[in-house]
Amino acid sequence: MDAAFTEEQHEIRRTLRELLHKRCGPDEVKAAVRTPPGYDEELWRRLAAQLGLPGLALPTAYAGVGCGPTELALACEETGRAVLPSPLIPTAALAAPLILALGSERQRAELLPPLATGELTGTLAVPGGRLATALALTGANDGDWAGGGRAGGIQARRVAPEGAAPGPEGGGWRLYGEAGQVLNGHTAEVLVVAAHTGGFARSRTLLFLVRADAVGPAEIAGRAETAGRAEAPVRGEGPAGLRGLLRTRQTALDETRPQARLELRDVPAELLGGGPGEGGGGDDGAAVARALAATGAVAAAALAAEAVGAADAALARTVAYVREREQFGRPIGSFQAVQHRLADLYVTLQAARSAVYYAAWSAGRGGSGERTAAPHGPRGPAEPGVAALALAQALEALRAAAAEAVQLHGGIGFTWEHEAHLYFKRAACDELLLGPVHRLRARAAEEAGLFPGGTDAVDGGAPAGAARPVGAAATDRAREAVDV
């Protein structure tokens, strides 16, 4: 691993930081989250047109920039520093990599260029709020996390072409169910939906494409208020048969990370990967799980980079304040107790930043751009445990930096309107969405093989046919260790 950044990578950071410094201050952020989309659409178009931000990690063959996870992480560090509300993470780190990995050539050619240029936005919809599980960040993603036929999930059924008898081949798909906590789900035009299909005999989780922009003009209702925002439903008003999609923006503590609830009632969908002969791998449940795990490594690095950027900004604001705020005739930053607290924060932040950079490098297999990438899909499996561990460290660093920012700003830091609460809310909500931290660390320990041997090694020779699954005790032991 070469730890030195290239000139191109430095330029990406510098350009993005300058633009966001001018256009994305705390007042602009608070104004943007109160709009129906939840972000500044004009700024998003500018970031997409001038910097190619949503296509940063996509190949040039699909109108992308041709960089890799490292460059995407560097960009996310800057957007995190500004606490930028945008569809960058769901589009560039979730939807686009999955389409690139599993989509047929027709689907890639149709969807990736508009996603890369910002004309469309996308997201990943996972039922039950199990995004971290689906991405294999807090546990194995080979289970029935998409519903498994139970209430609360999303079910997919095949429908026969018009005038033909039902059969296993051909025809389209219909989705029925709901998913909550979908990042930017109320505005994304391309929905990648995880759904359960196959019944009991061929039970598996597959990914489906729903073109929400094909539903027709959207009716966005609701009030844009600061706290206690009313949920804003977005109803499809398109042709018959496409009226089953209901999207509702949910009230969230962190308004800079908009979330939505999707309700699907026999919504037409297309299998990601297409039908037989289209060259995709979307009908293979194992391939879907691998693609989700590989996407999880990239998404974890990007989200962790955002957390590091936000923690860095919170620390910088706190240091600036303690230099100015005087008590007992001297700046409070001159007191040794305050200096020790800030020094500890700095060390924690730098450790998290190093972990994030390594996770981004590992997700790209040490290379940036498409020279080291496969023609389609992820660059290969990242080093086991790296992504989850980096995300855990970054979330811990942000939580500590935000808490100290509130404390050291004194009385003004406790007011809800102060900028410190932007970081505090981001820290709290990201951990709720992707954590908790101890589960991320436990998953990293599992993947790294820190507790090999399964049940026998941990339980002192318990029989293999015991009631608990093999490896369950090892998992519990790993979680207890990281909790300590």
Side-chain angles (χ1 to χ4, degrees):
M1 174 183 177
D2 184 2
F5 292 124
T6 64
E7 183 56 37
E8 180 184 20
Q9 291 168 338
H10 282 300
E11 184 62 26
I12 290 173
R13 300 180 68 177
R14 183 165 51 248
T15 304
L16 188 55
R17 183 178 300 188
E18 291 174 357
L19 178 58
L20 294 179
H21 180 72
K22 296 177 182 177
R23 295 289 307 274
C24 195
D27 292 336
E28 288 81 3
V29 169
K30 293 176 183 178
V33 299
R34 291 175 175 86
T35 63
Y39 63 93
D40 187 341
E41 293 180 294
E42 193 278 329
L43 177 58
W44 170 249
R45 287 191 292 268
R46 184 172 177 182
L47 292 172
Q50 293 186 3
L51 303 178
L53 208 56
L56 202 57
L58 287 176
T60 55
Y62 300 111
V65 179
C67 294
T70 300
E71 288 77 10
L72 180 61
L74 291 176
C76 288
E77 185 177 354
E78 298 307 319
T79 61
R81 190 187 307 277
V83 202
L84 172 71
S86 79
L88 176 62
I89 291 291
T91 299
L94 294 176
L98 288 171
I99 295 173
L100 182 64
L102 297 174
S104 65
E105 183 56 42
R106 175 186 59 81
Q107 291 169 337
R108 288 192 290 259
E110 179 183 341
L111 296 176
L112 289 180
L115 287 173
T117 57
E119 298 174 28
L120 297 178
T121 60
T123 191
L124 171 64
V126 175
R130 299 178 180 178
L131 179 62
T133 302
L135 298 177
L137 295 176
T138 57
N141 66 349
D142 55 357
D144 57 355
W145 48 267
R150 298 188 299 273
I154 299 178
Q155 308 301 315
R157 64 181 179 89
R158 190 187 292 274
V159 294
E162 187 173 346
E169 303 294 339
W173 292 84
R174 294 292 185 270
L175 303 182
Y176 192 97
E178 63 180 41
Q181 293 181 289
V182 181
L183 297 177
N184 288 90
H186 61 300
T187 57
E189 293 91 354
V190 180
L191 305 176
V192 179
V193 182
H196 178 265
T197 187
F200 180 79
R202 298 186 60 203
S203 175
R204 63 198 190 279
T205 297
L206 302 179
L207 297 179
F208 296 86
L209 289 172
V210 174
R211 291 295 302 270
D213 57 339
V215 172
E219 176 188 353
I220 301 179
R223 300 185 304 275
E225 300 176 353
T226 52
R229 178 202 307 272
E231 292 187 337
V234 182
R235 292 182 174 84
E237 301 292 342
L242 294 178
R243 294 177 179 271
L245 177 63
L246 174 63
R247 304 195 283 173
T248 305
R249 182 176 178 183
Q250 295 178 299
T251 301
L253 178 64
D254 179 18
E255 295 178 305
T256 66
R257 186 89 76 192
Q259 300 177 26
R261 183 177 69 250
L262 306 184
E263 298 179 32
L264 304 102
R265 302 292 181 261
D266 281 335
V267 173
E270 180 183 5
L271 179 66
L272 183 58
E278 289 200 51
D283 58 347
D284 182 356
V288 169
R290 289 193 299 270
L292 282 167
T295 299
V298 176
L303 287 160
E306 278 201 338
V308 164
D312 194 14
L315 178 58
R317 287 181 177 273
T318 305
V319 170
Y321 180 79
V322 300
R323 285 175 173 172
E324 299 173 355
R325 178 73 168 90
E326 291 191 0
Q327 192 64 265
F328 305 109
R330 54 190 290 193
I332 61 175
S334 64
F335 295 112
Q336 195 173 54
V338 173
Q339 293 175 354
H340 286 172
R341 293 167 70 173
L342 294 175
D344 288 343
L345 273 184
Y346 180 79
V347 172
T348 302
L349 174 61
Q350 292 304 319
R353 177 176 280 125
S354 296
V356 168
Y357 289 166
Y358 185 77
W361 174 85
S362 177
R365 294 180 61 184
S368 62
E370 50 198 17
R371 292 184 296 275
T372 59
H376 303 300
R379 291 162 171 80
E383 187 174 339
V386 167
L389 187 59
L391 184 56
Q393 285 193 258
L395 291 177
E396 283 185 331
L398 176 55
R399 182 176 58 191
E404 290 290 7
V406 172
Q407 289 283 335
L408 293 178
H409 274 81
I412 193 175
F414 281 85
T415 59
W416 203 238
E417 296 78 12
H418 194 269
E419 290 81 0
H421 285 271
L422 290 174
Y423 310 107
F424 178 79
K425 294 174 186 177
R426 172 64 66 88
C429 286
D430 275 5
E431 188 167 350
L432 288 173
L433 181 68
L434 302 161
V437 165
H438 73 271
R439 291 190 63 191
L440 291 168
R441 290 189 179 277
R443 176 59 176 170
E446 283 183 71
E447 288 189 305
L450 295 184
F451 300 96
T455 306
D456 291 345
V458 178
D459 288 347
R468 304 193 68 199
V470 175
T475 299
D476 293 344
R477 180 71 173 272
R479 289 175 178 169
E480 292 173 5
V482 296
D483 282 340
V484 173

